[in-house]
Amino acid sequence: MTDDTARRPRILCVGAYERDNFGDLLFQIITAQYLGDADVVYAAPFAADMTDLIGLEIPTYGPLLESEAFDAIWTVGGEVGGTSVDYAFRTRHDKEATRVYDAATPEERREMIAAEFGAVPMESPYIPRPSAYPKNVRAALVLNSVGLAGIRGLGSIRRAGMLGLLHEATRITVRDSAASRFLAAEGIEHRLEPDLVHSIAITRPRPADAVPGDYVLLQASTTHVKRYGIKAFAQAIIDSDVLRDHPVRLFTAGTAPGHDSFEQYEQIRDLVLRADPSRRLEISRTIDPWERVDEIAGAKLWIGSSLHGRIISAAYGVPRVSFAKRKVDDYVRTWDADMPWRIDHTQMNEAAAQALAMPADDRGQELGRRAHENILSVVEHVKEWAATGGPADRVEEVLAIRNAQWSRMTLEIARAEAARAAAEAAPATPSAPAAPVGFARRVRRRLGRVVRRVRGR
């Protein structure tokens, strides 16, 4: 290794790019553009071959953190606060593996996770805890462009654990005001800035002579299509004057389990064309991230449930409409509330006409500049941390955080056990499901092991 290589920050970047989800793939691609001179490993909760989409073999980060030291651990973005281990497993693995997992007991599930992830239990799929790994207890923990408001809905014990984890972070940038208010109420230092993907128009600007297309992009997740019903969604397309006047492409913002479905789109297309064979409706089959970006950037109008479809539209000044979805609503409310949002399929035509009638906006340019400046400052934070090794009392600081978390979780466990005892004493009274005492005991043992390992390093 040369001296120049030795001086480069060594960074473990963690994200949900082990599957085809448009926004998460862009988080990896765009973050890499800003970390060009660093020694970076891109990893995820579960390994995957992503060479076809982003040119990388993605390793599992658990064994890496156990065996190697990093200057920084960087969560590259996304809705990571309330994401569960079960969700991460199901969206990465095929139907057969998921079927086996769903049929397994809790202990068997833990064994399945450990077989892939390693000896240290996975607390949060996309936010590793530095203090759980003695070789990385001094590493900076960076969370950039994240959504964390989902922590509010967690059970009391897991919520306490996640808050303790966030207190270990050295730099947090959230992307919506709901997350910012939540962190402020918990006394967690952070910044509120636009999503990293807004910077795409700076790092990959559209040619000055580019001519917008006449097509409309229409995207809806499997959840939205099921909620509306395939026939009702197809009928909304049939009834739309706007969608009759322009070519329409059904667009996928990710084909991983639980995202978008070519099969659903084929059913919708067939219903529309059966009702009106003259309609110009096709399915966009590309899953290449850059081709998806260019397709949005060149569109007449974007309509969809994807947050990053909305963000890329804003970055390139494309009129946009968003279906109702909590994380999209939170984000749009914070940064981009002028164009229509929080609609359902019955409002699609009216919202599309409204968006097309609005004057061209340059909001995306300002949001892109802020996102660009924010990630430059995050990179500088990591470089400074790598150069100095962080504060001299970092280990003591982390132990103090863990001890405070232990106290908080012990209190939550005691409350849960008291509630269980009260429920058992009054069985006729309707009550919420009892707290998982087995989980509470495992939490106590895990925290004890971690503190002993860190103190013994």
Side-chain angles (χ1 to χ4, degrees):
M1 178 181 292
T2 65
D3 290 342
D4 287 343
T5 302
R7 286 196 296 270
R8 290 188 298 159
R10 188 147 198 267
I11 304 170
L12 179 72
C13 283
V14 175
Y17 32 72
E18 80 281 36
R19 51 194 164 92
D20 175 27
N21 184 32
F22 184 36
D24 292 312
L25 298 180
L26 288 176
F27 279 134
Q28 186 279 319
I29 293 168
I30 297 173
T31 301
Q33 293 174 337
Y34 288 94
L35 292 176
D37 64 343
D39 177 13
V40 188
V41 178
Y42 295 95
F46 303 103
D49 181 357
M50 298 298 291
T51 51
D52 287 348
L53 290 177
I54 55 176
L56 293 172
E57 287 268 5
I58 302 297
T60 302
Y61 69 75
L64 286 170
L65 289 173
E66 287 188 64
S67 61
E68 303 179 27
F70 294 87
D71 295 306
I73 302 166
W74 182 318
T75 297
V76 298
E79 200 69 15
V80 297
T83 305
S84 69
V85 175
D86 289 346
Y87 175 83
F89 186 95
R90 293 187 182 105
T91 54
R92 164 62 190 94
H93 293 81
D94 61 23
K95 290 182 179 179
E96 178 58 24
T98 299
R99 185 193 63 77
V100 173
Y101 183 83
D102 288 344
T105 65
E107 184 60 37
E108 288 169 340
R109 289 185 182 186
R110 286 191 291 273
E111 291 174 358
M112 292 172 68
I113 297 294
E116 295 188 53
F117 186 72
V120 177
M122 186 190 301
E123 281 184 88
S124 174
Y126 301 105
I127 312 177
R129 185 190 289 272
S131 66
Y133 301 91
K135 289 182 180 292
N136 288 286
V137 69
R138 298 188 64 87
L141 176 59
V142 169
L143 281 63
N144 188 52
S145 205
V146 294
L148 297 173
I151 296 174
R152 295 174 302 184
L154 299 177
S156 59
I157 296 172
R158 188 170 171 226
R159 174 182 165 125
M162 287 298 297
L163 290 174
L165 196 165
L166 295 183
H167 277 290
E168 289 193 26
T170 60
R171 174 71 180 262
I172 299 176
T173 306
V174 295
R175 63 187 184 183
D176 63 76
S177 55
S180 180
R181 289 192 298 271
F182 168 68
L183 294 186
E186 295 292 340
I188 297 174
E189 186 177 346
H190 66 282
R191 301 185 186 190
L192 172 63
E193 296 291 349
D195 188 285
L196 169 65
V197 174
H198 277 292
S199 68
I200 199 166
I202 294 175
T203 58
R204 197 170 191 265
R206 288 271 288 168
D209 59 352
V211 178
D214 189 44
Y215 58 88
V216 174
L217 290 181
L218 176 58
Q219 174 269 332
S221 69
T222 56
T223 300
H224 279 79
V225 173
K226 288 178 180 177
R227 181 186 305 156
Y228 303 149
I230 288 177
K231 290 183 179 179
F233 193 76
Q235 191 62 48
I237 297 174
I238 295 166
D239 293 341
S240 169
D241 295 332
V242 173
L243 300 187
R244 185 180 300 109
D245 292 342
H246 298 277
V248 176
R249 299 181 191 174
L250 299 177
F251 178 96
T252 61
T255 57
H259 292 73
D260 303 350
S261 166
F262 284 122
E263 181 180 356
Q264 281 186 340
Y265 283 175
E266 288 164 359
Q267 295 176 56
I268 292 167
R269 178 201 58 196
D270 292 348
L271 287 170
V272 172
L273 295 181
R274 191 177 303 145
D276 183 359
S278 67
R279 293 297 287 263
R280 295 170 292 171
L281 177 65
E282 63 181 7
I283 299 171
S284 174
R285 296 283 178 176
T286 184
I287 60 172
D288 178 87
W290 286 127
E291 290 178 2
R292 282 168 163 163
V293 168
D294 290 341
E295 197 165 17
I296 295 172
K300 179 79 171 180
L301 172 70
W302 160 269
I303 305 172
S305 60
S306 164
L307 174 58
H308 286 98
R310 174 90 181 201
I311 287 171
I312 293 168
S313 301
Y316 291 111
V318 175
R320 49 209 176 270
V321 174
S322 291
F323 294 119
K325 186 177 182 179
R326 185 194 62 76
K327 74 173 182 180
V328 178
D329 297 345
D330 286 346
Y331 190 83
V332 174
R333 185 183 292 111
T334 305
W335 303 110
D336 187 32
D338 291 342
M339 290 279 179
W341 55 288
R342 207 176 183 183
I343 70 156
D344 64 22
H345 62 304
T346 65
Q347 301 164 303
M348 187 163 54
N349 184 63
E350 179 184 355
Q354 178 186 344
L356 289 173
M358 294 178 70
D361 72 316
D362 58 0
R363 180 180 302 274
Q365 297 177 19
E366 171 61 16
L367 296 177
R369 181 192 62 78
R370 288 187 58 166
H372 172 73
E373 292 178 354
N374 173 68
I375 192 169
L376 289 178
S377 69
V378 176
V379 171
E380 191 59 32
H381 165 74
V382 168
K383 287 181 176 179
E384 291 177 1
W385 191 282
T388 63
D393 61 350
R394 175 63 176 168
V395 174
E396 289 75 14
E397 176 190 18
V398 169
L399 282 175
I401 292 169
R402 294 308 299 265
N403 286 336
Q405 176 188 340
W406 196 339
S407 297
R408 182 168 181 169
M409 292 184 72
T410 299
L411 176 61
E412 296 295 346
I413 290 167
R415 288 173 174 168
E417 291 176 341
R420 176 188 289 274
E424 291 175 349
T429 303
S431 61
V437 173
F439 172 75
R441 289 171 180 160
R442 290 195 302 277
V443 168
R444 289 197 193 101
R445 291 198 297 269
R446 182 187 305 170
L447 286 173
R449 287 198 302 270
V450 168
V451 170
R452 288 193 294 274
R453 289 172 70 195
V454 172
R455 282 179 172 155
R457 58 183 298 276

